[in-house]
Amino acid sequence: MAATFFLMPSEQLDQISAATAASLWFSNIYFAFLEVDYFGASASSNLFLHTWSLGVEEQFYLVWPFLMLLFFWLARYLQRSWQRVLGYGLGACFVFSFVFSYGLLSSYPGWSFYLMPFRGWQFALGALCVFVDVVNRRNGAVFGRWFVFAPSARDSVIAGWCGLLLILGSAMILDGGVPYPGMRALAPSIGAALVLLSGTAGCRHGVARLLSQSPLLWLGRRSYSLYLWHWPVLLLGGSLLAPGQLLSSMVLLAVSLCLAVVTFHFIESPVRYSRFLSSRPRWSIWGGLFMMLSAVGSSVLWLGASTSWLAAPEQERHRDARFDLPRIYAMGCDDWFHSSSLNACQFGNKDAQHTVVLLGDSIGAQWFPALSKIYAGADWRLLVMTKSACPFVDEIVFYPRIGREYVECEIWRGQVAKTITELKPDLVFIGSAGSYGFTETQWTMGTRRLLEELSGVAKRIYLIQPTPIIPFDGPHCLGRQAWRARFLPISNECVVTVEGGVALKSWLTAAVNAFDNVSVLDMNPVVCPDQRCAAEQRSSVVFRDDRHLTAQYVLSISDDFLSRVSAISVP
């Protein structure tokens, strides 16, 4: 309900499929097989993203009874102790699931992250903790008869604190720049197992003493409700407050906690401890099924309403801006990470006397509409060679979106350099984003190494300064303003002052100073006059997201582009 007020209709449409999947407990499968679209709305903006873990959990509950029956059947068939078969079986589940998860991480990172069979090793690890506790109680050993090492009570205390350190350390160190789950997921998982096992050992001075303090117990009991609330509150509240600021985040977390307390006391606890439902399991089953179908039906109604709202002219304009890409993408010129092949697209007269080449990633590709207009004469042919998320910098790139090093990018750059050497073009325009996290040395030397290959064969090279990254999505901001005006008096201006980029420009300038025929082309004074970036300018939507320019806007400033190219003095 809140989303219908806070989000524009096109944003609402992005949520509905996930809402339906979450209602049926397979949102993890939905996100795993969601078609990856480089310019599509990020999954991280989906209100139901956090429900993936609930889907994995429920799917595991369906498999677990059959797995236990299999192990007990094997124990009876092999005439072996059920403890031995169960321990070895859970250990095998852990190993095989982890190996497959790790193997898929480079090629199918979404599967490795979202799908239950490839997160099953973590469930198996938890089951092993339960198994160890049961065996301990039956045999009097601290960590079980079937384990080689049985530590003392003192060792279990140390293990518990080490486990807590692993959890806290992982929370501080792991981020979106590392592949996950993979090997790095072992640290927090093993940390949690050590904490659990330390607690079952019954040591008075272990980590359990800290975690059993009243405030932590109070928060732990409400953690499930808090988990359900925190993500949608952060996303919806972040669309109203300043996103990313500590004070805003603290306020939104406080709101999440308040909502969690209310739902814990009035929904979760009454349902969980209901004597009526516990004594009538059929009521629980049919009631749960009714709630699921009601949620699906609500999603269908939401779809119809959002579709009709989106038909409003002001909403269509902002929706269309999101998909206002250069036509080179529809032509297959940019193959992203799917291959390392060089798919050069040619425009204009193929027998023209002069050649201009556009190179770079999606930030470079955004300038195609201007170049296609400027060099549209019979004397010119335009070649486009771009690869999204691949900077034209001779450095290894780790790409978080695919969870590995972007090897296709490195191979592709080598093919580009070889092709340029054969073409010997008149003009080369190179554009890359400025958000790759390279150091000054990497930017300067990595750019210089590529220019050394190209400057000797191209007459003139223009290195285009990256456009600024704004802290909001351009079409979404404008669409939300138009939509919320009907319900809310709150107005967030879709304009921001951007002061960055000075250092990067100086690094690029230092890289090109060694070459007489290379210059830096800075269009940012046109895109963001006086360093103020507006989502709308010259009756055009400027940004199609938070960093890429719309094709219509780039076409509208093609004269400014040409005048700045002409004004650059190249000795």
Side-chain angles (χ1 to χ4, degrees), residues 57-68:
E57 179 185 355
E58 298 303 322
Q59 291 153 27
F60 171 76
Y61 291 155
L62 294 177
V63 173
W64 177 251
F66 298 100
L67 194 62
M68 291 298 97

Side-chain angles (χ1 to χ4, degrees), residues 252-263:
L252 294 175
L253 285 175
V255 172
S256 303
L257 183 57
C258 292
L259 292 172
V261 170
V262 172
T263 53

Side-chain angles (χ1 to χ4, degrees), residues 253-292:
L253 285 175
V255 172
S256 303
L257 183 57
C258 292
L259 292 172
V261 170
V262 172
T263 53
F264 173 78
H265 285 287
F266 293 101
I267 299 177
E268 181 182 344
S269 290
V271 172
R272 183 179 180 184
Y273 300 109
S274 172
R275 294 182 179 179
F276 177 84
L277 293 177
S278 61
S279 61
R280 297 170 177 82
R282 291 185 179 181
W283 282 75
S284 300
I285 295 173
W286 287 108
L289 181 61
F290 174 78
M291 295 294 292
M292 290 171 57

Side-chain angles (χ1 to χ4, degrees), residues 128 131-133 135-136 140-153 155-157 159-160 193-194 196-201:
L128 280 170
F131 167 73
V132 168
D133 183 43
V135 173
N136 287 345
V142 177
F143 271 66
R145 187 172 61 183
W146 307 116
F147 288 78
V148 176
F149 181 58
S152 64
D155 292 332
S156 68
V157 170
L194 290 175
L196 290 173
L197 291 174
S198 176
T200 62

